[in-house]
Structure formats: C-alpha cells, structure tokens
Amino acid sequence: MMGKHMGPPWWHGRFRGRGYRITVAREAILDVLNRTSEHLSAEDVYLAVHKVHPNVGLTTIYRTLELLVQLGLVFKFDFGDGRARYELAETPKGTRHHHHLVCTVCGRVIDYTDFIDDEIELLSRTEQALSKKFNFKITNHLIQFYGLCNECHRKQ
Amino acid sequence: MMGKHMGPPWWHGRFRGRGYRITVAREAILDVLNRTSEHLSAEDVYLAVHKVHPNVGLTTIYRTLELLVQLGLVFKFDFGDGRARYELAETPKGTRHHHHLVCTVCGRVIDYTDFIDDEIELLSRTEQALSKKFNFKITNHLIQFYGLCNECHRKQ
DNA sequence: GTTTTTAATGAAAATGATTTTCATTTGCTC
DNA sequence: GAGCAAATGAAAATCATTTTCATTAAAAAC
C-alpha cells in the first residue's frame, strides 16, 4: 500500500500556490499516474479513473492532463501512434529520469535509465551553451531513439 | 540555381530500387522539400506544390510524405502544435545534422548544429550500448530542447 | 455551518489533421 | 503502343482533441 503517516498529497502545494482547486477528478488522475509506470494515453487515464469515479468525463481528463503538463508535473510524449502519452514527471520519491526507445514497427516503447548519467552531463553542458547562444531559457528536453525492437527485428 | 550537368535526381535510385514509381507529384514534393530549410507541414507542402501543379491533391501529399518517411528520406517531427512537420533527411551535399529548440509559448523552432559533434559522439556510444543491452536496432534519434525563446522570455 | 463566488465539470457538438474508399489515371514493362 | 498494377484525386470517414455552455462544487467570506 501507500506510505504510512502521510499528510496531504505532495502535489497539493503546487496547486494551491497557483490558485488551482483540488478536486476529486484531479486527485483521481494524479493517483492513476502515480500508480503506473506505463505510458498512458488520455483514454487510458480515463478508463482507469472511470473504474473508481464513473462520473468523471474524458473532457476533464484532457483538461487536467494539459494543466499538469503546464505545471510541469507531467510530461507529454508523442510516440508516433497518433495519440499523446503522459507520464508523471516526478514521484514522491523522485523517479529516475529516463529516456525512450521506440520501435517504429510495433510501437513498443522501452524506458531506459542506463547511460543516463553521461547523457545528463552532456545535456546540461549543451543546454547551457544553447541558452547562452540563442538566449533561450531551456526548461526541458526530449530524447528518443527509434528503431526495431528485438521481436520486430527478428521477423523482418 | 541548381547544380549544372545534373543527371537524374539523386533519389531516383532509392525509388526504383524498391519498386516505387517516379511521378510528377513525387518529384514536385521532393523539390519543395529540397528548396527549403523550414519545417513544413503537409499543408505547407501542399500549398507550395499547388503553385506549380494545381492538380496534385492534399491526399497525395500525405501519402508521399509518409512514403518518404518510411524510406528514410524525410524526417517527421512533432513540435506540439498539432500538425506534423517534415524535413528532408539529406540533401545531395548532405545537410549538416541538426537538432531543435522549441519555444513552448510561441511555438518557434530554432535549428542548431553547434555542439552537435559532442552530442553525436555521445549518442553513438549510447546507441551502441542500448542496441546491445536491449537488442534494439537503432536507426534514428530525436533530440529536442524545450523552453522560452528570447521574445517570449522577455514578455513573461 | 451557511452563503457566496467563480473555477471546474460533463455532455454534446465542433474542430481539424490525417486516413480511407473507390473510380480513374498514369508510370513502366514487354 | 498495349497491358497492368501502382498512384492519384475527390469526397467521405476517422478519431484524437477542443470548445461551448449550462450545471456543479471547491474554497473563501461571512
């Protein structure tokens, strides 16, 4: 189960601080994202939330996910299958930063955290240099590798 | 103008080799992509092609762009504005590999080639390691930085 | 605790990029 | 130049996402 002796969820402050309300739908959506390590689409989130709160509509899912992205609590990805995917940016414990391997045949997505340290270091150097050169305030980055996964490679 | 003494366009072989036909529409589309350094949407390409060949439909644009992506001649990007963007993967001379800076406020996209060398080197090491570990045949990668461009940063 | 204020929500309709269908056209092989 | 499958255009269909608007419910004010 969840941790013991918990106060209000960690993200309440982020909402209150900006004047956003804490609602049943928002709690439920964050809860779903918090419980999974998958790359959920808006509909995935909707279905999961719907099991517990059948009265929460898909529109609210979209609106809330968008808000969470704006707040930086959630990352939005495009893996090329025509629907956006969402992942919590941070968990209470702080999930390890990861990047993605996307199979261009079957669409499978593999997370990896290996080699991240080197990447992060280079990225941070690059970010600084880019920020300076283009006067661009970098807040985030996206790194994805594309190719054929084990299965699809074999079948070709 | 274009180079002198040119034979058949460089990409004809890529088509013929795989049994694809060389058509007016395809030539026009590749020509448009070849002439620009912008990140064109399908509609952008359509409008440009339409000026010269008003009989080429949007459907063909989509179909051809998709084919070009499959052939690896064109890269498809998502900058978050709800429409895909296309760029020629290589020019006759071999355009410098570049990555993107995307402004999350105004949507502006800046290409950069600086610092690419370091990145490429790290990427190539990472790709090898990932390929081995996950048995994943990497064919391509995507790197984008997000943040606020000069203008938008100032206005905030 | 009750009232008040206004953000948040749900349902339905709208949007808009992309895809599919299908009859017609056109490269390319022989 | 004929034959044939690939390619095409126009129109319709798809489908994820957004907008509209009347209703509900957080949270502030009392």
Side-chain angles (χ1 to χ4, degrees):
Chain A
M1 289 294 119
M2 315 170 69
K4 358 162 186 171
H5 312 307
M6 26 173 205
W10 55 280
W11 49 268
H12 275 199
R14 298 272 197 122
F15 269 69
R16 292 248 166 70
R18 306 227 197 176
Y20 293 113
R21 294 178 180 175
I22 290 155
T23 67
V24 172
R26 288 172 177 176
E27 301 229 57
I29 290 167
L30 274 158
D31 190 49
V32 164
L33 291 173
N34 207 18
R35 284 178 194 284
T36 188
S37 60
E38 312 240 335
H39 315 101
L40 302 181
S41 66
E43 192 179 355
D44 292 335
V45 174
Y46 170 71
L47 293 174
V49 168
H50 192 265
K51 285 182 189 163
V52 185
H53 301 280
N55 48 329
V56 173
L58 184 54
T59 307
T60 296
I61 305 293
Y62 274 106
R63 279 191 285 229
T64 302
L65 288 172
E66 194 52 40
L67 174 63
L68 294 173
V69 169
Q70 296 310 324
L71 289 177
L73 299 180
V74 164
F75 290 137
K76 182 179 185 178
F77 293 100
D78 167 34
F79 296 141
D81 66 343
R83 53 182 57 187
R85 304 280 169 170
Y86 301 86
E87 279 184 56
L88 213 51
E90 48 184 319
T91 65
K93 308 179 177 177
T95 301
R96 193 85 170 288
H97 190 74
H98 66 270
H99 293 155
H100 299 287
L101 282 172
V102 183
C103 177
T104 49
V105 174
C106 69
R108 175 187 318 212
V109 177
I110 298 173
D111 295 3
Y112 72 92
T113 53
D114 318 273
F115 325 114
I116 282 276
D117 289 344
D118 280 349
E119 283 181 25
I120 298 292
E121 200 247 314
L122 174 73
L123 284 176
S124 116
R125 264 192 291 130
T126 306
E127 283 186 16
Q128 281 194 11
L130 288 173
S131 288
K132 182 170 295 181
K133 169 155 186 178
F134 296 105
N135 222 301
F136 201 102
K137 185 177 188 316
I138 293 175
T139 56
N140 197 5
H141 65 247
L142 171 67
I143 296 196
Q144 291 180 358
F145 288 99
Y146 297 96
L148 280 77
C149 73
N150 193 11
E151 325 282 289
C152 294
H153 190 8
R154 176 171 300 160
K155 289 179 193 161
Q156 300 284 304
Chain B
M1 291 295 121
M2 315 171 70
K4 356 159 187 173
H5 311 308
M6 29 173 202
W10 55 279
W11 48 269
H12 276 198
R14 299 273 197 119
F15 270 68
R16 291 248 166 69
R18 305 227 196 177
Y20 293 111
R21 294 177 179 174
I22 289 155
T23 67
V24 173
R26 287 172 178 176
E27 302 228 57
I29 291 167
L30 274 158
D31 191 46
V32 165
L33 291 173
N34 208 17
R35 284 177 194 284
T36 188
S37 60
E38 312 240 335
H39 316 100
L40 301 181
S41 67
E43 193 179 355
D44 292 335
V45 175
Y46 170 71
L47 292 174
V49 168
H50 192 265
K51 285 182 190 164
V52 185
H53 301 279
N55 47 330
V56 172
L58 184 54
T59 307
T60 297
I61 305 293
Y62 274 107
R63 278 190 286 229
T64 302
L65 287 172
E66 194 51 41
L67 174 63
L68 294 173
V69 169
Q70 295 310 325
L71 290 177
L73 299 180
V74 164
F75 290 137
K76 182 179 185 177
F77 293 99
D78 167 35
F79 296 141
D81 65 343
R83 52 181 58 186
R85 303 280 169 168
Y86 302 86
E87 279 184 55
L88 213 52
E90 48 184 319
T91 65
K93 310 180 176 179
T95 300
R96 194 84 170 288
H97 190 74
H98 66 270
H99 292 156
H100 300 288
L101 282 173
V102 183
C103 178
T104 49
V105 175
C106 70
R108 176 186 317 211
V109 177
I110 298 173
D111 296 3
Y112 71 93
T113 52
D114 318 273
F115 326 114
I116 281 278
D117 290 344
D118 280 350
E119 284 180 24
I120 297 292
E121 200 248 314
L122 174 73
L123 284 175
S124 121
R125 266 192 288 130
T126 306
E127 283 186 16
Q128 282 194 10
L130 287 172
S131 287
K132 182 169 293 180
K133 169 154 186 178
F134 295 105
N135 222 299
F136 200 102
K137 185 177 188 318
I138 293 175
T139 56
N140 197 4
H141 65 247
L142 170 68
I143 296 196
Q144 291 179 0
F145 289 98
Y146 297 96
L148 280 78
C149 73
N150 192 10
E151 324 283 289
C152 294
H153 190 8
R154 177 170 301 160
K155 289 179 195 161
Q156 300 284 303

